[in-house]
Amino acid sequence: MNYQETVILKESREYKAAEALIDSINSMSWNPKKFGLAVSMQHRTLQQSLMKSFVATIRVIASDDYGYDDRNRGAHEAAKKMVESGILDDIYLPFI
């Protein structure tokens, strides 16, 4: 991603949403299961959109040009296994 693309991304709703979520996760008391349960209580169409975002995030983190180090190596390797397995290719998440 070049500088201009980075600037545009940082001004987007998606960047601001990711930043807000990351800020929430940045706590020792964050409970991933509780987050999953909270998502399950949201509007069904929005759950579908969130899953599309998760799949896209997995693809980004799995990419060979994704920058990672020992702190997020596990996430990169897990995402890479998911992409390489082909399981994500079989997922269809329409906007309904």
Side-chain angles (χ1 to χ4, degrees):
M1 183 178 319
N2 67 36
Y3 176 76
Q4 186 62 30
E5 292 169 327
T6 301
V7 169
I8 291 169
L9 178 61
K10 286 186 174 185
E11 294 172 358
S12 71
R13 291 183 325 181
E14 294 82 1
Y15 185 86
K16 290 176 176 83
E19 215 170 33
L21 178 58
I22 293 298
D23 186 50
S24 295
I25 290 171
N26 189 16
S27 165
M28 293 300 287
S29 64
W30 177 261
N31 184 323
K33 183 174 181 173
K34 194 182 286 187
F35 175 77
L37 291 169
V39 167
S40 75
M41 297 170 66
Q42 304 303 312
H43 189 278
R44 300 299 189 221
T45 299
L46 298 177
Q47 290 176 29
Q48 186 90 330
S49 293
L50 183 62
M51 283 300 296
K52 285 171 107 170
S53 297
F54 289 159
V55 169
T57 301
I58 290 167
R59 290 186 185 283
V60 168
I61 291 174
S63 123
D64 288 333
D65 60 348
Y66 175 72
Y68 65 92
D69 59 26
D70 288 341
R71 295 168 293 179
N72 63 337
R73 182 179 309 278
H76 172 70
E77 291 173 355
K80 197 164 186 79
K81 284 181 183 179
M82 287 181 233
V83 169
E84 289 173 349
S85 76
I87 190 83
L88 299 180
D89 298 335
D90 297 334
I91 295 174
Y92 176 61
L93 299 166
F95 183 80
I96 299 174

